[in-house]
Amino acid sequence: MQTSQKHPTTAGIHLYHQPVQGIDPYTSFQVLQSSSCHDNHDSSSSQGTTVSFEACKEQYFTLESSPATTGIIGCDSPSYASVSSNRSPFSPQGSQSNNSDQHQSCNNTYGSPISVYSSADDDYELKHKLKELEISLLGPEPDIVDSCHCCFKGEHQGGSPEDKYNWIQIAEMIPKLDLKEVLIQCARAVSDDDIQTAIGWMDNVLVKMVSVAGEPIQRLGAYMLEGLRARFESSGSLIYKALKCEQPTSKDLMTYMHILYQICPYFKFAYISANVVIGEAMQNESRIHIIDFQIAQGTQWMLLMQALAGRPGGPPSIRITGVDDSQSFHARGGGLDIVGKRLSDYAKSCGVPFEFHSAAMCGSEVELENLVVLPGEALAVNFPYVLHHMPDESVSTENHRDRLLRLVKSLSPKVVTLVEQESNTNTSPFFQRFVETLDFYTAMFESIDVARPKDDKQRISAEQHCVARDIVNMIACEGAERVERHEPFGKWRSRFLMAGFAQHPLSSTVMSAVGNMLNEFNENYRLAHRDGALYLGWKNRVMSTSSAWRCY
C-alpha cells in the first residue's frame, strides 16, 4: 500500500509503516522460546475454498459462515469526500484486458479464499442484481444499460442516457438504496465508458450517500467515489498533485500511522510473525545479517534485538541493511541515518553488537551491489507488505517482482519472510478489480471502525492519509502509475517456487505469538494456519498472509 519513490507524496502513506513513537507494549514479547515449542505444522494441508479461522477464544469459523450484509444508507449524513470534486487526482491509461486473475481456483492460486463475485455464476448473480437495481429505479425496461453506451468524446450510440435515467427520482430513493450496489453500478458505467450514466451516479446519487465521518461503507464509498471520478476524468498526470488535502507534516503523519498501529493488528501481524520466524532460524548463529526491503522506522528490529540480547551464551552480532523510499523519508522527516542511529542506540542499550547499512532507494531499484552480503553471515530477508509494489511482467519487461526474488535467492538466505495483503488486484481488469477492492476495504474499514468513534477526527485523518490514497490508486490508475498490485498467497507461492525457494514451515510458536497479540484486539479478527502460511482475517474475509521461505 505504498507508492514508489518516483511519485510525489502529496497525500498519504501506507498501512505498514512502523511508528516512531517508541516501542509498543509488545516490546517485551520474547520471540525466542525453548526448542520444545518448535512443533512444526504440516504444510501439506488439503486445499479448498474454505479457510477455518480460529479465534483466540476457541471459536471456529469458516469463510462461508458469515453471510454478506447490506445496509440501508441514509441521505442525511455529511456528504463530503477527501478529494476535490472539480478535478480529481488520478487517471487511467486504459483498462488492462488480461483476464488471468479471474477468481477460479479452489486452491487459492488465483484468488483470495473469499471475494465477491468470484466465479462465472457469481458474475451472473452480479448482473442479475444490477438488473434488479435498474428495474427498481427505472421500471422494467429491457437492456437499459446495454442501450446507453457512449464514448468519452460525447458521441452517443443508440440514444442519450439522459432519456433513460430520471436522476431526480433516483435521488429521492436514496434512503432505500444500497451503497455497495450503487458503487458497483457506477463502476460498471465507468468500465463501459458510459459517460452520462457515470456522471449521473456520481453527481446525483453517490455524492449524497458517502461521508468520511459516516458508517464504514460510507467512508469507504467517499474514497471509491473519488477513485471513480479520477479514472473517469483521466487525470493521471495529476495523480499525486490534485488532492484537496495538504500533505501532512512528518509529525502529523507519524501520529496517523501510530493510530492505525494501535487500533488494528495488521502491522503487528507482520512484525511479530516475521520476528519469530527469523529468531528461530537464527537461534544458533553468531553473525546475523537482515535485509529489510521496507525498513521504514526500524521499530520491528528493536523487538528482535531485545529478544536476542538475552540468548544463552550472549547475543549475536547483527547487521541490518535497510531499503528506503520517499514515503518513509517524509514520514521520518529525514533519511536512513535517522534509522541507523536509532537502532544503533537501542542495540547499545541491549548490549548487542550492531551495524547498519543503508540502501536509500525503492525496492525495484535494488541491485546486488546495494546489499553488501559478507562471508560468514547468516542472512534473513524481510518483505513486509512491499513486494506488491514491484512491477511484474504485466507492467515491465524487467519484471522487478520476479527479478528481486531471483536476486535474493542468489544470496542463499537462511530464511525469507513475506507478509502481503490477501487480495487479487494485480492484473485484473478494472471492473473485477473494483469489486475486489470494495470487498477487501469494506472489511478493513469495518475492522478500523470498532476501535474508534465514527466522528473521531484522528481516525478520519488516519484513514484519509494512510489508506485512501491506495484505494484511489487501485481504482483510477493503470500501467506504471498503478503501484498497488496485490496478489493472493497462491500466486506468491508460485513466484517463490519458480525462483527456487521452498516453503519454510511455521512452528506452533509463530501461531501462538500472533494469537496472543490478537487477544488485545476485537474478537472478530481470525487466525488460521493453512498451506504452510498464517492467514489473518476480519470476520469471513482474509486480510493478510504471512509465510516463510528457504533455499532448496
Coordinates of all heavy atoms in Angstrom, one line a residue, residues 274-308:
A274 N 7.1 -12.4 11.5 CA 8.5 -12.4 10.9 C 9.6 -12.5 11.9 O 10.6 -13.2 11.7 CB 8.7 -11.1 10.0
N275 N 9.4 -11.8 13.0 CA 10.4 -11.8 14.1 C 10.6 -13.2 14.7 O 11.7 -13.7 14.9 CB 10.1 -10.8 15.2 CG 10.5 -9.4 14.8 OD1 11.1 -9.2 13.7 ND2 10.3 -8.5 15.7
V276 N 9.4 -13.9 14.9 CA 9.5 -15.2 15.5 C 10.2 -16.2 14.5 O 11.1 -17.0 14.9 CB 8.1 -15.8 15.8 CG1 8.2 -17.2 16.3 CG2 7.5 -14.9 16.9
V277 N 9.9 -16.1 13.2 CA 10.5 -17.0 12.2 C 12.0 -16.7 12.1 O 12.8 -17.7 12.1 CB 9.8 -16.8 10.8 CG1 10.6 -17.5 9.7 CG2 8.4 -17.3 10.8
I278 N 12.4 -15.5 12.0 CA 13.8 -15.1 11.9 C 14.5 -15.5 13.2 O 15.6 -16.1 13.2 CB 14.0 -13.6 11.6 CG1 13.4 -13.3 10.2 CG2 15.4 -13.2 11.7 CD1 13.4 -11.8 9.9
G279 N 13.9 -15.2 14.4 CA 14.6 -15.6 15.6 C 14.8 -17.1 15.7 O 15.9 -17.5 16.2
E280 N 13.9 -17.9 15.3 CA 14.0 -19.3 15.4 C 15.1 -19.8 14.4 O 15.9 -20.7 14.7 CB 12.7 -20.0 15.1 CG 11.7 -19.9 16.2 CD 10.3 -20.5 15.8 OE1 10.1 -20.8 14.6 OE2 9.6 -20.8 16.7
A281 N 15.1 -19.2 13.2 CA 16.1 -19.7 12.2 C 17.5 -19.3 12.6 O 18.5 -20.0 12.2 CB 15.7 -19.0 10.8
M282 N 17.6 -18.2 13.4 CA 19.0 -17.7 13.7 C 19.4 -18.1 15.1 O 20.4 -17.5 15.6 CB 19.0 -16.2 13.6 CG 18.6 -15.7 12.2 SD 19.9 -16.3 11.0 CE 19.2 -15.6 9.5
Q283 N 18.7 -19.0 15.8 CA 19.0 -19.2 17.2 C 20.4 -19.7 17.5 O 20.9 -19.5 18.6 CB 18.0 -20.2 17.8 CG 17.9 -21.5 17.2 CD 16.9 -22.4 17.8 OE1 16.5 -22.2 18.9 NE2 16.4 -23.4 17.0
N284 N 21.1 -20.3 16.5 CA 22.4 -20.8 16.8 C 23.5 -20.0 16.0 O 24.6 -20.5 15.9 CB 22.5 -22.3 16.4 CG 21.6 -23.2 17.3 OD1 21.6 -23.0 18.5 ND2 20.9 -24.1 16.7
E285 N 23.1 -18.9 15.4 CA 24.0 -18.1 14.6 C 24.7 -17.0 15.4 O 24.0 -16.4 16.2 CB 23.3 -17.5 13.4 CG 22.6 -18.5 12.5 CD 23.6 -19.4 11.7 OE1 24.8 -19.0 11.7 OE2 23.3 -20.5 11.3
S286 N 26.0 -16.8 15.1 CA 26.7 -15.7 15.9 C 26.8 -14.4 15.1 O 27.0 -13.4 15.7 CB 28.1 -16.2 16.2 OG 28.8 -16.5 15.0
R287 N 26.6 -14.5 13.8 CA 26.6 -13.3 12.9 C 25.4 -13.3 12.0 O 25.2 -14.2 11.2 CB 27.9 -13.3 12.1 CG 29.2 -13.1 12.9 CD 30.4 -13.2 11.9 NE 30.3 -12.2 10.9 CZ 31.0 -12.2 9.7 NH1 31.7 -13.3 9.5 NH2 30.9 -11.2 8.9
I288 N 24.5 -12.3 12.2 CA 23.2 -12.3 11.5 C 23.2 -11.0 10.7 O 23.5 -9.9 11.1 CB 22.1 -12.3 12.5 CG1 22.1 -13.6 13.4 CG2 20.7 -12.1 11.8 CD1 21.1 -13.6 14.5
H289 N 22.7 -11.2 9.5 CA 22.5 -10.1 8.6 C 21.1 -10.1 8.1 O 20.6 -11.1 7.6 CB 23.4 -10.1 7.3 CG 23.3 -9.0 6.4 ND1 24.0 -8.9 5.2 CD2 22.6 -7.8 6.5 CE1 23.7 -7.8 4.6 NE2 22.9 -7.1 5.3
I290 N 20.3 -9.0 8.4 CA 18.9 -8.9 8.0 C 18.8 -7.8 6.9 O 19.2 -6.7 7.1 CB 18.0 -8.5 9.2 CG1 18.1 -9.6 10.2 CG2 16.6 -8.3 8.7 CD1 17.4 -9.2 11.5
I291 N 18.2 -8.2 5.7 CA 17.9 -7.2 4.7 C 16.4 -7.0 4.7 O 15.6 -7.9 4.5 CB 18.3 -7.7 3.3 CG1 19.8 -8.0 3.2 CG2 17.9 -6.7 2.2 CD1 20.3 -8.7 1.9
D292 N 16.1 -5.7 5.1 CA 14.7 -5.3 5.2 C 14.3 -4.5 4.0 O 14.8 -3.4 3.9 CB 14.4 -4.6 6.5 CG 13.0 -4.3 6.8 OD1 12.1 -4.6 5.9 OD2 12.6 -3.9 7.9
F293 N 13.4 -5.0 3.1 CA 13.0 -4.2 1.9 C 12.0 -3.1 2.2 O 11.6 -2.5 1.3 CB 12.5 -5.2 0.9 CG 13.6 -5.7 0.0 CD1 14.4 -6.9 0.4 CD2 14.0 -5.1 -1.2 CE1 15.4 -7.4 -0.4 CE2 15.0 -5.6 -2.0 CZ 15.7 -6.7 -1.6
Q294 N 11.6 -2.9 3.5 CA 10.8 -1.8 3.8 C 11.2 -1.4 5.3 O 10.4 -1.7 6.2 CB 9.3 -2.1 3.7 CG 8.4 -1.0 4.0 CD 8.6 0.2 3.0 OE1 8.5 0.0 1.8 NE2 9.0 1.3 3.5
I295 N 12.3 -0.8 5.5 CA 12.8 -0.6 6.8 C 12.0 0.5 7.6 O 11.8 0.4 8.8 CB 14.3 -0.1 6.7 CG1 14.9 0.0 8.1 CG2 14.4 1.2 6.0 CD1 15.1 -1.4 8.8
A296 N 11.4 1.5 6.9 CA 10.6 2.5 7.5 C 11.3 3.1 8.7 O 12.4 3.6 8.6 CB 9.2 1.9 7.8
Q297 N 10.7 2.9 9.9 CA 11.3 3.4 11.2 C 12.2 2.4 11.9 O 12.9 2.8 12.8 CB 10.2 3.8 12.1 CG 9.1 4.7 11.5 CD 9.6 5.9 10.8 OE1 10.5 6.5 11.3 NE2 9.0 6.2 9.6
G298 N 12.2 1.2 11.5 CA 13.1 0.2 12.1 C 12.6 -0.4 13.4 O 13.3 -1.2 14.0
T299 N 11.4 0.0 13.8 CA 10.9 -0.5 15.1 C 10.8 -2.0 15.2 O 11.1 -2.5 16.3 CB 9.4 0.1 15.3 OG1 9.5 1.5 15.1 CG2 8.9 -0.3 16.6
Q300 N 10.5 -2.7 14.1 CA 10.4 -4.1 14.1 C 11.7 -4.8 14.7 O 11.6 -5.7 15.5 CB 10.2 -4.7 12.7 CG 10.1 -6.2 12.6 CD 9.8 -6.7 11.3 OE1 9.5 -5.9 10.4 NE2 9.7 -8.0 11.1
W301 N 12.8 -4.2 14.4 CA 14.1 -4.9 14.7 C 14.5 -4.6 16.2 O 15.3 -5.3 16.7 CB 15.2 -4.5 13.7 CG 14.7 -4.8 12.3 CD1 14.5 -3.9 11.3 CD2 14.2 -6.0 11.8 NE1 14.0 -4.5 10.2 CE2 13.8 -5.8 10.5 CE3 14.1 -7.3 12.4 CZ2 13.3 -6.8 9.7 CZ3 13.6 -8.3 11.6 CH2 13.2 -8.1 10.3
M302 N 13.9 -3.6 16.8 CA 14.1 -3.4 18.2 C 13.6 -4.6 19.0 O 14.2 -5.0 20.0 CB 13.5 -2.1 18.7 CG 14.2 -0.8 18.1 SD 13.4 0.6 18.8 CE 14.5 1.9 18.0
L303 N 12.4 -5.0 18.5 CA 11.8 -6.2 19.2 C 12.6 -7.4 19.1 O 12.8 -8.1 20.1 CB 10.4 -6.5 18.6 CG 9.4 -5.3 18.5 CD1 8.1 -5.7 17.8 CD2 9.1 -4.7 19.9
L304 N 13.2 -7.6 17.9 CA 14.1 -8.8 17.7 C 15.4 -8.7 18.5 O 15.8 -9.6 19.1 CB 14.3 -9.0 16.3 CG 15.2 -10.3 15.9 CD1 14.4 -11.5 16.3 CD2 15.5 -10.3 14.4
M305 N 16.0 -7.5 18.5 CA 17.2 -7.3 19.2 C 17.0 -7.5 20.7 O 17.9 -8.1 21.4 CB 17.7 -5.9 19.0 CG 18.5 -5.7 17.7 SD 19.4 -4.2 17.6 CE 18.1 -3.0 17.3
Q306 N 15.9 -7.1 21.3 CA 15.7 -7.3 22.7 C 15.6 -8.8 23.0 O 16.1 -9.3 24.0 CB 14.4 -6.6 23.1 CG 14.1 -6.7 24.6 CD 12.8 -6.0 25.0 OE1 11.8 -6.6 24.6 NE2 12.8 -4.9 25.7
A307 N 14.9 -9.6 22.1 CA 14.8 -11.0 22.3 C 16.2 -11.7 22.2 O 16.5 -12.5 23.1 CB 13.8 -11.6 21.3
L308 N 17.0 -11.3 21.2 CA 18.3 -11.9 21.0 C 19.3 -11.5 22.1 O 20.3 -12.3 22.4 CB 18.8 -11.5 19.7 CG 18.0 -12.1 18.5 CD1 18.6 -11.5 17.2 CD2 18.1 -13.6 18.4

